[in-house]
Amino acid sequence: MLMYKQKKNQGTSAGGNRLLISITVIGSAGPIRFVVNEDELVGSVMDTVLKSYAREGRLPVLGSNIDEFVLYCPIAGTEALGRLEAIGSFGVRNFVLCKKPQLVEEVADGKPVTVGITRKNTGSWKSWFNKSLNLKVSSH
């Protein structure tokens, strides 16, 4: 029994460092925080976030298909993170999860034609983030 515990401890230390990450979901009241291994893939982190979000009963309802979402790191740049990259490779612990813009297709002469990208709200998460930083204090 003692050897089993030693092997178990060795296995967890060989798995890499663990990180407490914070993921803000656009439109949600607050971030979701949990611990992950730094070697865990971005795709599995996105899956965990969506499941935690649904389990907590947060609004708006997002669904569980990770193909409809992108994960950004606001500090590292404006490009979405690749799903096959390790979450610890970016050197940050704060991320933003938002829905991908949806393509609208119309059928013309029996062939689908891509019209463009529609958005329910004007702007993007970057503009929302910048607006939230520019808090104005009203004078009396």
Side-chain angles (χ1 to χ4, degrees):
M1 184 117 169
L2 181 61
M3 295 180 77
Y4 174 72
K5 289 183 181 179
Q6 289 176 350
K7 287 182 182 180
K8 184 177 176 183
N9 290 339
Q10 290 173 354
T12 57
S13 63
N17 293 332
R18 296 175 61 100
L19 304 170
L20 175 65
I21 61 171
S22 175
I23 298 181
T24 302
V25 179
I26 298 297
S28 181
I32 296 175
R33 294 181 182 98
F34 56 94
V35 178
V36 296
N37 286 329
E38 66 180 2
D39 299 332
E40 195 164 344
L41 299 179
V42 170
S44 66
V45 170
M46 290 172 60
D47 187 45
T48 303
V49 168
L50 291 174
K51 286 179 182 175
S52 296
Y53 187 91
R55 185 175 44 246
E56 292 175 11
R58 293 187 181 215
L59 296 174
V61 177
L62 299 177
S64 61
N65 186 2
I66 65 170
D67 294 331
E68 297 176 359
F69 296 92
V70 288
L71 190 68
Y72 289 99
C73 176
I75 298 170
T78 59
E79 294 295 320
L81 305 179
R83 290 197 187 134
L84 299 177
E85 297 179 80
I87 196 76
S89 65
F90 304 104
V92 296
R93 295 185 174 140
N94 296 318
F95 300 93
V96 176
L97 182 75
C98 60
K99 276 198 162 199
K100 285 182 183 177
Q102 297 175 355
L103 293 176
V104 176
E105 295 184 5
E106 291 182 358
V107 178
D109 299 330
K111 296 180 182 178
V113 177
T114 303
V115 174
I117 297 175
T118 62
R119 292 182 183 220
K120 292 181 181 176
N121 299 332
T122 58
S124 65
W125 72 269
K126 295 175 208 168
S127 63
W128 170 83
F129 186 71
N130 289 333
K131 286 178 188 176
S132 67
L133 290 178
N134 294 328
L135 298 175
K136 295 182 180 178
V137 177
S138 60
S139 60
H140 298 288

